[in-house]
Amino acid sequence: MTIAVSILPEQQLAVLNAAYRRAVARKRLRVLAGLGLFVAALIVASIGAEVNLRTFFTYFGNFVSYFDRILTLDSGQRVWTDFGEWFWGLRKWLRLLGETLLISYVGTLIGAVLAFGLNFFAAENTSPAPWLRFTVRRLLEFARTVPGIVFALIFVMAFGLGPVAGVLAIAIHSTGALGKLFSEIVENADMKPVEGIRSTGASWISCMRFAILPQVSAGYASYALLRFEINVREASVMGFVGAGGIGQEFIVAIRKFYYSDVSAILVTIIVTVFLIDITTGWVRGRLFGKEARH
Amino acid sequence: MSKSPDVNTAEIRARHPDVFNRPASSRLATPAVLVAALAILVYGLVDLDFSPSRFISGLSQLGWISVMMMPPDPGSSLPLYLKALGETLSIALLGTTLAALMALPVSLFAARNIVPSVILRFPVRRFLDSIRGVDTLIWALVWINVVGLGPFAGVLAIAVSDFGAFGKLFSEAIEGADQKQVEGIRASGGSALHEIRFGLLPQVLPVIAGQVLYFIESNTRSATIIGIVGAGGIGLQLAEQIRVLEWQRVSFLILMILVAVAAIDFISGKLRYAIIGQRAVA
């Protein structure tokens, strides 16, 4: 079957063409104006951020050679020629890394439990009172927006140096992040079971326990595992401000220019994070099937 | 009122054996996981030195600090703090833009539909992965060694660490693009570059723009903390004021961060809607 393409008469075509060109020109103008605005913002920003291209190009060699230096042992050889020498402190680092994992585990668990306790009050459909929802939401927002490491700085002052501050900082930040995600899952839950349970005369708590919880628990676990992954990274830098874990050792190595140590610790951290990612990904896949993976 | 029919439990049990007689392994799985989780928690609390007395004294200390924070007060350093906040926003904007510009060409090499060869794609992906595995703060420390203390190191740190994230996100966006339009361009005689420019970019640019805006938002948060290690911005002021125990200034700085982040959230949300319409960002 052939389809005839109708060609319009000349005057009609000219009108349409002109309209088309005008529309395109208007669109172009808008894109150009947006681009101009963006470039102006960039220029202002680069003045604000003291961008200095000369420093950048003068010292860029340093950046490249930095990686050369951290891959060289004190003896002048490449690090991979002597693993024993490169990872001389492996036992100590693994212990600190274990501490980092524990910090993120305990922090995530405390955060998840707190978020679990709060999220029903923050969700649109289950919150018992609007003022309660408003308060809880603002609280979670606060916990989420203030970066974890700022909490860690303050907690180090209150609880002293050490992993306790790190755990609490991670716990609070996770509460904020997970509370929001959890309440979003609850908002997507089917409300019919709640009506069913309520019609039997059950209290609010029973409604949550028997109608909402069975629908949402898989999602909760999935998000908590995802958060654990993120927190392992977070916990590895908590030591920068004295809140325990491998970060302490790492920042000393960087600041004191123990080059081969820097690369060795970095490799241990990356491998650990990688292993944790794979494991939690596998667990989430096993527990909840493919659709729960985000 | 109608009476509910007599329930024959035995019959229901017989009809649904898989509901009533679950094997022990599946019935015990949840409690076992919970017990294991609790055991690790207890071990962790002991190992990490969580003694009740320490916890309580810390909490009272924290209560004292919160009282000291009220009311938030910048003292005489308000202009300094505003400048630092401007620096932080500049770091976020510049770092994200640089990262996006660098990541766009690289992401093409990591996308399955552009580079079908695994041998070429695999190293690019692993490279992006390992960049992403290193925290922004660590990159900041590295760049401080290179360009010295100050916000420029922060810009470069955010640019590098986001480069890894963008490379992955962009390549996923490209893989998700519709191939029909690319084939159309090829059918009309376009070269490989034409295919990318006219078949692919119009599809992925809105998605990418949405992601970049989202990252500017989240980088405002990251940019507030890289100052803690000396890479400029408001984090530097914050860390200093915490160290000298000027709690009123600390609370004021935190308030400034909250307001700035909320403002950026609002603006980028509006822009996102303007660029990609009412569609949610993937």
Side-chain angles (χ1 to χ4, degrees), chain B:
Chain B
M1 213 172 97
S2 67
K3 193 168 168 292
S4 61
D6 282 331
V7 180
N8 187 348
T9 359
E11 194 196 334
I12 294 176
R13 269 174 193 278
R15 236 187 300 151
H16 303 286
D18 49 332
V19 177
F20 286 96
N21 301 319
R22 286 191 337 202
S25 64
S26 91
R27 256 183 302 167
L28 287 180
T30 318
V33 168
L34 284 182
V35 167
L38 201 67
I40 302 178
L41 175 71
V42 170
Y43 171 75
L45 287 179
V46 172
D47 191 66
L48 297 177
D49 225 5
F50 257 92
S51 67
S53 64
R54 185 173 180 193
F55 192 66
I56 288 168
S57 78
L59 271 189
S60 72
Q61 192 79 3
L62 199 61
W64 179 237
I65 289 175
S66 330
V67 173
M68 299 279 281
M69 278 184 176
M70 290 300 139
D73 176 24
S76 56
S77 337
L78 185 61
L80 184 68
Y81 293 166
L82 284 178
K83 185 174 169 287
L85 187 63
E87 223 169 79
T88 296
L89 296 181
S90 309
I91 291 173
L93 182 67
L94 271 183
T96 318
T97 314
L98 262 179
L101 288 180
M102 290 191 300
L104 193 55
V106 175
S107 66
L108 292 175
F109 285 98
R112 192 176 305 134
N113 46 359
I114 305 276
V115 178
S117 119
V118 185
I119 304 161
L120 212 62
R121 202 152 33 91
F122 187 78
V124 176
R125 293 220 146 175
R126 287 296 86 78
F127 173 65
L128 291 174
D129 278 348
S130 47
I131 287 183
R132 219 150 19 93
V134 179
D135 196 89
T136 317
L137 275 181
I138 299 173
W139 282 117
L141 283 168
V142 171
W143 279 112
I144 285 172
N145 277 340
V146 177
V147 295
L149 291 168
F152 190 34
V155 171
L156 294 170
I158 288 207
V160 172
S161 74
D162 275 10
F163 168 71
F166 276 149
K168 180 177 155 49
L169 287 175
F170 290 179
S171 69
E172 276 168 6
I174 292 170
E175 282 177 2
D178 192 355
Q179 278 299 300
K180 294 217 178 71
Q181 310 181 21
V182 178
E183 283 162 17
I185 304 282
R186 193 180 308 153
S188 62
S191 71
L193 273 181
H194 284 140
E195 282 169 31
I196 292 173
R197 165 66 185 84
F198 294 104
L200 211 58
L201 275 188
Q203 292 186 60
V204 296
L205 263 188
V207 180
I208 287 179
Q211 279 163 350
V212 170
L213 276 171
Y214 177 72
F215 266 73
I216 290 182
E217 207 176 303
S218 87
N219 278 338
T220 320
R221 277 163 239 230
S222 320
T224 55
I225 59 168
I226 50 177
I228 291 170
V229 296
I234 203 161
L236 188 62
Q237 305 291 338
L238 188 63
E240 257 169 28
Q241 299 307 323
I242 289 177
R243 293 216 172 95
V244 298
L245 308 177
E246 286 275 2
W247 294 112
Q248 286 185 318
R249 296 189 177 192
V250 170
S251 60
F252 186 82
L253 282 166
I254 292 179
L255 218 58
M256 275 175 82
I257 294 177
L258 290 180
V259 170
V261 169
I264 296 283
D265 271 16
F266 179 77
I267 296 170
S268 86
K270 287 269 177 241
L271 277 178
R272 267 211 309 258
Y273 274 130
I275 291 177
I276 62 170
Q278 297 295 309
R279 241 175 336 134
V281 182

Side-chain angles (χ1 to χ4, degrees), chain A residues 83-159:
Chain A
F83 273 94
E85 180 69 25
W86 189 20
F87 286 101
W88 66 273
L90 192 61
R91 188 177 293 248
K92 181 172 63 177
W93 295 333
L94 284 183
R95 196 179 52 72
L96 283 170
L97 211 58
E99 189 178 284
T100 306
L101 290 182
L102 263 188
I103 290 174
S104 43
Y105 175 78
V106 175
T108 313
L109 199 59
I110 295 176
V113 169
L114 287 179
F116 176 74
L118 289 174
N119 79 89
F120 295 113
F121 300 106
E124 195 93 45
N125 48 353
T126 57
S127 183
W131 63 267
L132 200 61
R133 188 176 77 226
F134 182 82
T135 328
V136 171
R137 280 205 172 174
R138 291 297 91 74
L139 215 66
L140 291 177
E141 227 160 63
F142 173 76
R144 192 167 63 235
T145 310
V146 178
I149 206 149
V150 173
F151 279 124
L153 269 171
I154 295 175
F155 289 161
V156 163
M157 292 294 166
F159 292 88

